[in-house]
């Protein structure tokens, strides 16, 4: 849980300073490559990465808007 809060803090802080961030969970699927490239010792668990940088508002993918279904179509809420 602690790593989630730290990532959330980094995302919010970056956004408030005009810096774009993106959580990269897929990195956890390739621990041997990440360890080798970044010299991470085996006793540390790789959960995710965090991409940080300045976004380009003119790049076409940054203006992509995808519609979403209502939450109720994907979630079942149960009463206690």
């Amino acid at each position: 849980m602690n790593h989630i809060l730290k990532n959330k803090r980094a995302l919010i802080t970056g956004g408030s300073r005009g810096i774009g961030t993106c959580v990269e969970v897929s990195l956890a699927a390739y621990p041997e490559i990440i360890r080798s490239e970044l010299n991470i010792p085996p006793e540390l668990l790789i959960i995710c990465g965090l991409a940080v940088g300045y976004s380009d508002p003119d790049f076409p993918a940054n203006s992509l808007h995808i519609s979403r279904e209502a939450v109720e179509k994907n979630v079942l809420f149960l009463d206690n």
Side-chain angles (χ1 to χ4, degrees), residues 55-63:
S55 62
D56 179 357
D58 297 325
F59 187 70
N62 289 333
S63 61

Side-chain angles (χ1 to χ4, degrees), residues 9-31:
R9 186 179 311 138
L11 295 170
I12 293 170
T13 301
S16 70
R17 291 180 163 78
I19 299 172
T21 55
C22 182
V23 177
E24 303 288 343
V25 178
S26 62
L27 293 178
Y30 307 97

Side-chain angles (χ1 to χ4, degrees), residues 3-69:
H3 67 279
I4 294 171
L5 297 175
K6 287 181 181 178
N7 265 348
K8 184 177 178 181
R9 186 179 311 138
L11 295 170
I12 293 170
T13 301
S16 70
R17 291 180 163 78
I19 299 172
T21 55
C22 182
V23 177
E24 303 288 343
V25 178
S26 62
L27 293 178
Y30 307 97
E32 64 284 344
I33 296 171
I34 303 303
R35 287 184 197 291
S36 172
E37 291 296 315
L38 301 177
N39 197 26
I40 297 173
E43 63 269 13
L44 296 179
L45 179 64
I46 298 171
I47 298 171
C48 66
L50 184 62
V52 179
Y54 293 100
S55 62
D56 179 357
D58 297 325
F59 187 70
N62 289 333
S63 61
L64 180 65
H65 296 283
I66 300 172
S67 62
R68 296 182 184 199
E69 290 187 9

